[in-house]
Amino acid sequence: MKKNVKPWTAYFQPALVYILLILGVIIVVVPLMWAFAASFTPNHKVFEYAYPFSWRALFPVDFTMEAYDNLFERGFGRAVGNSFFLAIATVIIGGAANALAGFAFGRFEFRGKQFLFLTVIMLTFMVPVDLTAIPRYILVNNFGWINTWQGLLVPGLANSLVIFLFRQFFAEIPQELIDAARVDGASWLRVLVSIILPISKPVLVAAGLLMFISQWNSFFWPLLIAPRQEMRVVQVEISLAIGQYGTVWNELLAGSMIAAIVPILLVMPFQRYYVQAITGTGLE
Amino acid sequence: MRLNRQLIPYLFLAPALLLLIVFNLVPTIATLVESTFILSLRSGERVFAGFANYNRIFNDPVFWKSLQVTIVFSLLVNPIQIFLALCLSILINQNLPGIGVFRSIYLLPIAVSLNVTAIVWGLMLDQNSGMINGILTQWGIARQPFLHSVDQALWSIIVIASWIGVPLWSLFILAGLQNIPPPVLEAAKIDGANAWQSFTKITLPLLRRVLAFVLVADTVANFLMFAPILLLTNGGPQLSTNLIMYETYRRGFLYGDLGASSAMLSVMLVIVFIIIGVELYVLRGQD
C-alpha cells in the first residue's frame, strides 16, 4: 500500500520544472508581445504602458494600423518582396546545387572524394562567411556585381551545411531501390528525380527551411553588397530605419515584426524538421 | 561511355563545389593575401604593403582595446550561454504534460533574426522609458542607463545575444540528452545513484562531445557578434562594446581602409582556426 503513495518530493520536482520553464517563457515572450502590441500603437503611446510598466503594454489597447500604413507607403513592401524573391531563389537554385552535391557525396565512390569533402565542405563549414566578407566583396566588385541581384544571390547559393544534410539522408537510402531503377536503364538524373526525391521529403523540408530562413535573416552581406534603396532586403531596411527614423518607434517595430513573423510562421508547423536541420551537424 | 560514368559524380558536384570554392574558399585565402595590400575603395588603387597593415593595427590602441573587449565578452557570454542552455535543455527534456508547448515557445527566438532581437531589446532597455526600467522602478529600483553606460553596455549586449543563444544551443544539448539510452540511467538508479550523481557521473560524460561542439560553435558565433553593435551602440560608449567584428567593418567600410580591416580579419581567422584546431584535437580519440 505504501508503494502507491508518492513522496511529496515527487510533486515538488515537476512544480519546480514548470516554474522555471514559465520564467523562461516570460523572458522569451514578453519582448515579442510588447513589440507586437507597440507596432499597432500610435507612436506617442509606444512607451506609455512600458514605463511605468503595466500589463496593458503587452496588448494593443490603442489599436491602430498607422505604423504599417506609413511603412508600406514609404516602400517597405519593396524590401519584403526583395527578401521573398531572394529566399525563394536560394531555396530553388541553391537547393538543386546542394542536393546534387549531397547525392554525389552520399552515393558515389570516386577519386578525391575524401579530400574534396574535408577541404571544401568541412573548411567552408567551419569558417564563418562573415569573416571572409571583405575579399568576397572585392571579388564581387571585380565582377561588377555591386547593387545587383547576382551579387546578393550567387555567393550564398552553395551551403556546406545543406550539402551535409543531403549527404546524410541520401547515404541511408537502401541500395536495392536504386539498383532496381538502374537495371531498368534509368539515368542517374532520372533516378534522382523519380526515385530519390519523392522519398526525401524530410530532408527537403529541413534543407528548404534552413536555406529560406538563413537567407531571410542574413544581414551582413546584403548590407555590404546592395546598399542601394531598390535592392535593400528587409533586414537591411529595418537596420537603416533605426538611424533614419530612430524616433518613429512604432514603424521600426512594425518592420521588425514583419521581419520576424515570416520565419516564425515557417518554423512552427515544421519544428521537428527545423530542429533536425540545425542540430544535424553537431552530433556527427 | 565508361569515362562518362566516372564523370557523373564530378558533374553532380561541380555547381555547388565551384560556388563554394569561388565564394568561400578563395576569399578565406584572399583574406590573408589582402592583408598585405593597401587598397582604397575610393581611389581603387591597390598597393603591396608587406606587413605595413599589421604594423598599423598592432600599433593602434583602438585595435588592442577592441581585442580586449572581445576577449572579455567571450569569457562572459560563452560560459553564461552554455550553462543556461544546459539548464534549459534539462528542463525541456523532462517528460511532463505540455512540454511540447514549451519546446515550441523556446523555438521563437531561434527563428527571429539578430537584428530584430537587437531592435526590440534596444527599445526594451531604453534608458528613459524602456520596459525593463519600467519594471525596475515598480520594484523601487532606480532607472539604469544600460546601453549608455560604460559598465552596463557590454552586459546589455550579452543579454541580447543570449536571448537567441541560450535556446539555440539548448537544442543541440537536448539532442545529445535524447541520445542517451534510458536503460543507462535506469541502471544507475537501481544501483542507488541519486539524481545529482547520475547527472554528474553519467549524463555529463556522455554529453562531452555535444558540449565540446557547442562550446566551439558558440565561441565562434559570439566572436563575430556584429548586428547589435551596429544597430545599438556603434562600439560605444567609450569603445566599451567595440567588438572586433564591428571594428573591422568600421575600418573597412566606414573609413574605407580595407588593408587594416583585412589584417584584423586575418588575425581573427587565425584565432578561429586555433579554436577549431582545439576542437578537432579534443574530439579526436573518443568515440
Side-chain angles (χ1 to χ4, degrees):
Chain A
M1 215 175 104
K2 209 179 171 187
K3 267 186 179 167
N4 292 333
V5 182
K6 282 188 183 174
W8 65 273
T9 50
Y11 296 99
F12 173 70
Q13 204 215 347
L16 186 69
V17 170
Y18 280 122
I19 289 170
L20 292 173
L21 281 171
I22 289 166
L23 203 69
V25 164
I26 291 173
I27 297 171
V28 165
V29 168
V30 162
L32 290 175
M33 279 183 78
W34 172 72
F36 188 73
S39 73
F40 288 104
T41 302
N43 195 45
H44 65 279
K45 285 191 160 181
V46 159
F47 291 109
E48 178 143 317
Y49 304 112
Y51 185 91
F53 178 72
S54 116
W55 291 109
R56 307 177 80 184
L58 305 182
F59 304 94
V61 283
D62 302 301
F63 185 86
T64 169
M65 291 290 288
E66 161 199 303
Y68 290 88
D69 289 341
N70 292 341
L71 200 62
F72 280 95
E73 233 163 73
R74 262 217 305 272
F76 192 72
R78 171 122 209 180
V80 175
N82 289 350
S83 281
F84 264 111
F85 171 75
L86 265 181
I88 291 168
T90 303
V91 169
I92 294 171
I93 307 170
N98 294 325
L100 282 175
F103 189 62
F105 278 124
R107 300 280 356 165
F108 285 89
E109 289 307 323
F110 52 90
R111 280 188 61 170
K113 180 177 168 178
Q114 214 60 18
F115 173 77
L116 283 175
F117 193 78
L118 282 178
T119 51
V120 184
I121 307 295
M122 289 311 280
L123 207 65
T124 54
F125 173 68
M126 290 188 293
V127 177
V129 285
D130 287 354
L131 206 50
T132 52
I134 288 181
R136 190 176 309 113
Y137 177 89
I138 294 169
L139 183 78
V140 168
N141 190 20
N142 287 337
F143 295 170
W145 284 4
I146 305 293
N147 278 315
T148 65
W149 288 110
Q150 307 91 283
L152 275 167
L153 179 69
V154 178
L157 286 176
N159 184 324
S160 38
L161 175 54
V162 175
I163 293 173
F164 202 86
L165 285 175
F166 276 117
R167 184 194 80 140
Q168 296 300 94
F169 187 88
F170 289 152
E172 279 164 26
I173 291 173
Q175 187 62 39
E176 303 86 72
L177 224 64
I178 295 167
D179 287 343
R182 290 291 292 165
V183 168
D184 290 345
S187 72
W188 275 110
L189 207 60
R190 199 178 161 77
V191 169
L192 191 62
V193 171
S194 57
I195 312 268
I196 309 264
L197 282 190
I199 57 167
S200 303
K201 192 190 144 205
V203 73
L204 291 176
V205 174
L209 278 176
L210 199 70
M211 281 184 282
F212 189 100
I213 292 172
S214 43
Q215 179 62 266
W216 180 272
N217 282 349
S218 75
F219 172 57
F220 195 59
W221 183 247
L223 177 75
L224 301 186
I225 204 71
R228 211 175 68 200
Q229 203 188 344
E230 309 90 84
M231 304 295 298
R232 281 182 205 153
V233 295
V234 168
Q235 305 292 343
V236 172
E237 193 70 49
I238 59 173
S239 81
L240 295 177
I242 211 172
Q244 287 165 4
Y245 313 103
T247 52
V248 194
W249 299 292
N250 62 351
E251 289 182 37
L252 188 60
L253 288 169
S256 300
M257 288 302 96
I258 291 169
I261 200 73
V262 171
I264 287 175
L265 287 180
L266 279 172
V267 165
M268 282 303 138
F270 302 108
Q271 290 172 37
R272 212 161 44 85
Y273 299 109
Y274 189 61
V275 171
Q276 276 170 357
I278 46 180
T279 58
T281 47
L283 300 168
E284 268 306 299
Chain B
M1 199 64 193
R2 183 160 296 165
L3 183 76
N4 206 3
R5 267 187 76 164
Q6 282 174 346
L7 274 177
I8 284 171
Y10 297 106
L11 284 176
F12 284 171
L13 281 179
L17 283 204
L18 276 178
L19 286 168
L20 282 178
I21 290 169
V22 172
F23 292 107
N24 297 70
L25 214 52
V26 168
T28 304
I29 300 156
T31 305
L32 303 171
V33 177
E34 210 56 54
S35 67
T36 60
F37 284 87
I38 291 180
L39 181 136
S40 163
L41 268 188
R42 301 212 175 86
S43 65
E45 275 173 60
R46 192 163 166 280
V47 192
F48 181 73
F51 287 98
N53 289 321
Y54 291 96
N55 257 330
R56 277 195 300 142
I57 64 165
F58 289 147
N59 286 312
D60 181 353
V62 175
F63 169 73
W64 287 112
K65 168 78 181 164
S66 138
L67 202 58
Q68 183 207 331
V69 169
T70 309
I71 290 168
V72 171
F73 176 70
S74 301
L75 290 177
L76 293 172
V77 75
N78 297 313
I80 290 174
Q81 285 190 358
I82 291 168
F83 175 73
L84 292 176
L86 180 62
C87 296
L88 180 59
S89 66
I90 292 166
L91 291 174
I92 52 179
N93 191 37
Q94 303 293 314
N95 200 4
L96 292 170
I99 200 75
V101 178
F102 285 105
R103 284 188 197 163
S104 302
I105 293 171
Y106 285 115
L107 276 181
L108 288 172
I110 298 166
V112 172
S113 72
L114 194 51
N115 295 34
V116 171
T117 308
I119 289 170
V120 172
W121 272 98
L123 295 176
M124 295 273 296
L125 291 169
D126 187 89
Q127 58 176 346
N128 297 316
S129 42
M131 186 192 286
I132 302 299
N133 271 327
I135 294 169
L136 288 182
T137 39
Q138 269 191 340
W139 291 344
I141 302 168
R143 272 200 291 214
Q144 300 296 315
F146 296 124
L147 290 157
H148 296 272
S149 139
V150 175
D151 299 320
Q152 294 176 2
L154 196 63
W155 284 102
S156 306
I157 300 295
I158 290 172
V159 168
I160 292 166
S162 302
W163 189 76
I164 290 184
V166 170
L168 174 65
W169 301 113
S170 79
L171 284 185
F172 288 80
I173 305 174
L174 177 67
L177 284 172
Q178 291 176 338
N179 269 359
I180 298 173
V184 175
L185 294 172
E186 276 156 27
K189 213 171 181 180
I190 291 164
D191 289 344
N194 63 31
W196 177 249
Q197 282 171 328
S198 82
F199 176 72
T200 52
K201 295 267 154 60
I202 294 169
T203 309
L204 268 188
L206 288 173
L207 283 180
R208 253 209 347 234
R209 266 185 91 83
V210 175
L211 287 175
F213 173 83
V214 167
L215 178 63
V216 169
D218 193 20
T219 305
V220 172
N222 284 319
F223 191 55
L224 302 184
M225 187 56 58
F226 172 73
I229 312 298
L230 175 76
L231 297 184
L232 300 177
T233 68
N234 291 315
Q238 291 169 46
L239 300 179
S240 64
T241 60
N242 197 36
L243 294 178
I244 187 100
M245 192 67 199
Y246 182 74
E247 179 62 20
T248 66
Y249 170 79
R250 206 167 61 103
R251 286 294 175 92
F253 288 88
L254 301 185
Y255 298 170
D257 187 353
L258 287 179
S261 189
S262 296
M264 288 183 201
L265 286 166
S266 299
V267 172
M268 292 176 71
L269 203 58
V270 170
I271 295 174
V272 166
F273 275 125
I274 291 172
I275 297 171
I276 292 168
V278 169
E279 176 195 26
L280 293 177
Y281 180 77
V282 168
L283 290 184
R284 213 175 49 175
Q286 35 169 309
D287 285 312

